[in-house]
Amino acid sequence: MTVAAWLGRRAVAALVTLLVASVLIYGALRLVPGDPVLAVSGGRRLTPGQIEALREAYGLNQGLVQGYLDWIGGVFRLDLGTSMTYQTGVTSLLASRLGVSGLLVAYSAALAIGFGSAVALVSAVKGGLVNRVTSIVAAVTTATPTFVAAIGLLSLFAVGLGWFPATGAGSGLADRLWHLTLPAAAMAIAAFGVLARVGNAAFAGELGREHVDVARGRGVSGGAVIRRHVVRNALAPMLTIAGLLVASLFVGTAVVETAFGVDGVGSLLVSSVSRRDFPVVQGIALVAVVLFVLVNTLVDLALPAIDPRVTAGGPAR
């Protein structure tokens, strides 16, 4: 298969995935029991005429098919509708919060990938007791729920030691990174464990290959062997799992942002679900799916460049 054909297939697959996801997102929320107009009323009594006017304003009086077509048409124009709670455009509402959530996800991904890869490589090279201890730590962190990690970090480093602020996102890059350190660490803990386990297996597998022994027999230094023959060849599985984890971190912001009082997309999702603000929930869900598909597509495109054994659309040889 040529590269152009493979790229075409990937683009079609991504578009089909997004289309199916959009149908499921819209349909699932429209089929939820209850009337979202009641959330807009704030507990006030509304006349039948007022209820009908609100349903018409938010497109709730339309059939499922027509409502979806109108909504997806707006999506293509970058119009995700109007928030029923904030009375403002969902697109602008998300845009004002994506910066904080994006930085949180990037910070968390850097911590997880950096520490996970380093620990995996050291444990694979050292072996023995170091490898056993690392395996235990990786298993424990992988099984640690995000909300448990958040509570533990808050109790120790914010309340107990007072090293980091307990709530808020800060202002300015340096202050924002300081405020987001604990939330990013809470999100990164489970991802760190997964990367450490996968990376350890990948690095250990490459260390046992014949070409590594040949390179050592030829007098190539240990550092050069690690860089050229171990790390490079183990990057493909590491990049694949890292892409999946980075895409999933966006969903994890809901728990962490709520726990740490960060005004981002995750906390907006939690409040919108409780208020039955369907347009906002639909918009956030769609953005999450788009990011997931985009990250995984970029990983697929990067694999052949990182590992020459991987061909477009084919396995490593």
Side-chain angles (χ1 to χ4, degrees):
M1 180 186 300
T2 64
V3 174
W6 179 75
L7 289 175
R9 289 185 59 179
R10 287 298 303 164
V12 171
L15 290 175
V16 170
T17 300
L18 291 175
L19 179 62
V20 172
S22 68
V23 173
L24 293 176
I25 290 169
Y26 185 85
L29 289 177
R30 284 295 298 269
L31 295 176
V32 171
D35 193 343
V37 171
L38 298 178
V40 182
S41 67
R44 302 188 310 273
R45 285 183 173 273
L46 299 177
T47 65
Q50 290 173 324
I51 293 176
E52 185 60 29
L54 285 173
R55 292 181 62 82
E56 183 177 356
Y58 292 103
L60 298 175
N61 60 342
Q62 297 176 328
L64 189 62
V65 175
Q66 185 59 48
Y68 170 77
L69 293 176
D70 289 347
W71 177 69
I72 199 66
V75 169
F76 284 113
R77 300 190 302 272
L78 299 182
D79 179 8
L80 297 174
T82 303
S83 169
M84 303 172 70
T85 302
Y86 298 94
Q87 298 297 308
T88 187
V90 175
T91 303
S92 60
L93 192 61
L94 295 185
S96 66
R97 295 173 179 244
L98 272 175
V100 174
S101 296
L103 181 59
L104 177 58
V105 170
Y107 196 178
S108 177
L111 292 175
I113 295 173
F115 284 104
S117 302
V119 169
L121 181 59
V122 171
S123 63
V125 173
K126 296 293 184 182
L129 179 61
V130 174
N131 191 27
R132 289 194 292 272
V133 171
T134 300
S135 298
I136 294 173
V137 172
V140 171
T141 54
T142 301
T144 302
T146 302
F147 72 91
V148 173
I151 293 172
L153 292 173
L154 267 173
S155 301
L156 179 59
F157 294 105
V159 178
L161 298 175
W163 291 355
F164 296 96
T167 60
S171 58
L173 181 59
D175 186 49
R176 181 153 290 181
L177 288 174
W178 183 48
H179 276 75
L180 294 181
T181 296
L182 290 185
M187 289 173 55
I189 285 177
F192 158 82
V194 175
L195 283 167
R197 297 176 70 178
V198 173
N200 179 272
F203 291 136
E206 293 298 329
L207 284 168
R209 290 186 178 274
E210 182 179 354
H211 65 88
V212 173
D213 295 331
V214 171
R216 286 171 173 167
R218 291 178 176 177
V220 180
S221 65
V225 170
I226 296 297
R227 290 192 305 272
R228 300 173 187 173
H229 301 285
V230 176
V231 173
R232 183 176 181 182
N233 292 337
L235 278 180
M238 289 287 289
L239 182 62
T240 301
I241 193 67
L244 293 173
L245 290 173
V246 169
S248 66
L249 286 175
F250 184 79
V251 180
T253 59
V255 174
V256 170
E257 289 181 359
T258 302
F260 288 91
V262 176
D263 197 19
V265 175
S267 60
L268 177 63
L269 174 62
V270 174
S271 64
S272 297
V273 169
S274 64
R275 296 170 179 171
R276 302 175 67 84
D277 195 341
F278 286 179
V280 176
V281 176
Q282 288 172 338
I284 295 176
L286 185 63
V287 169
V289 172
V290 170
L291 290 176
F292 190 88
V293 172
L294 178 61
V295 169
N296 283 281
T297 301
L298 292 176
V299 168
D300 287 342
L301 294 176
L303 283 176
I306 291 176
D307 190 344
R309 298 172 300 172
V310 178
T311 57
R317 299 177 182 178

